[in-house]
């Protein structure tokens, strides 16, 4: 069992050394483990929630029926394209590739 775990660890380290993963979030302060993009987040999970909320807001804003039910001030001018562009920029593409590679390692075991 230990040999199998050692092999998995070595394969994981090999995968991670081949590419430059974890590039989306930049470590800002080691003391509190906070990261930055243009936004400060505490984890990839929080980043995912931010992107999800941006997408949900965009869906509501693009749907006439949903927008009429939502509480918006009439003077509020929200540009849905900008929200969608921000969401695209926040998606951690390299990290998703790593998850695919890890999934392959898991399936091979």
């Amino acid at each position: 069992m230990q040999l199998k775990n050692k092999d998995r660890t070595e394969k994981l380290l090999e995968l991670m050394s081949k590419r430059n993963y974890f590039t989306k979030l930049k470590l800002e302060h080691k003391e509190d483990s906070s990261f930055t993009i243009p936004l400060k987040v505490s984890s990839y999970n929080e980043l995912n929630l931010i992107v999800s909320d941006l997408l949900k807001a965009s869906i509501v804003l693009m749907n006439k029926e949903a927008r009429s039910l939502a509480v918006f001030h009439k003077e509020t001018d929200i540009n849905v394209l900008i929200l969608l562009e921000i969401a695209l920029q926040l998606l951690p593409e390299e990290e998703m590739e790593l998850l695919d590679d890890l999934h392959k390692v898991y399936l091979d075991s």
Side-chain angles (χ1 to χ4, degrees):
M1 183 68 166
Q2 284 183 336
L3 184 59
K4 191 173 184 178
N5 286 339
K6 184 179 179 185
D7 290 342
R8 285 183 184 172
T9 303
E10 288 174 1
K11 190 163 186 171
L12 173 61
L13 292 173
E14 181 183 329
L15 278 172
M16 291 181 71
S17 65
K18 284 183 182 178
R19 300 244 349 216
N20 190 16
Y21 293 112
F22 302 111
T23 59
K24 183 60 73 173
L25 298 179
K26 306 292 183 201
L27 188 61
E28 184 176 334
H29 299 291
K30 289 184 181 182
E31 301 81 35
D32 66 354
S33 298
S34 62
F35 300 87
T36 59
I37 341 176
L39 302 171
K40 187 174 180 178
V41 296
S42 62
S43 65
Y44 279 93
N45 185 50
E46 184 180 359
L47 173 60
N48 187 56
L49 293 173
I50 291 169
V51 173
S52 295
D53 287 344
L54 284 169
L55 293 171
K56 288 175 192 174
S58 298
I59 290 167
V60 168
L61 292 169
M62 294 179 79
N63 183 322
K64 287 183 182 181
E65 290 177 20
R67 189 174 184 167
S68 67
L69 296 173
V71 180
F72 291 110
H73 296 290
K74 295 194 182 206
E75 303 92 33
T76 304
D77 187 23
I78 299 171
N79 188 333
V80 177
L81 284 177
I82 290 175
L83 292 176
L84 294 171
E85 287 173 5
I86 291 169
L88 280 174
Q89 290 175 29
L90 293 175
L91 289 172
E93 296 171 20
E94 292 82 7
E95 290 78 355
M96 294 301 114
E97 291 176 19
L98 175 62
L99 288 175
D100 283 341
D101 290 341
L102 293 174
H103 188 241
K104 287 176 191 173
V105 169
Y106 172 75
L107 291 176
D108 290 343
S109 59

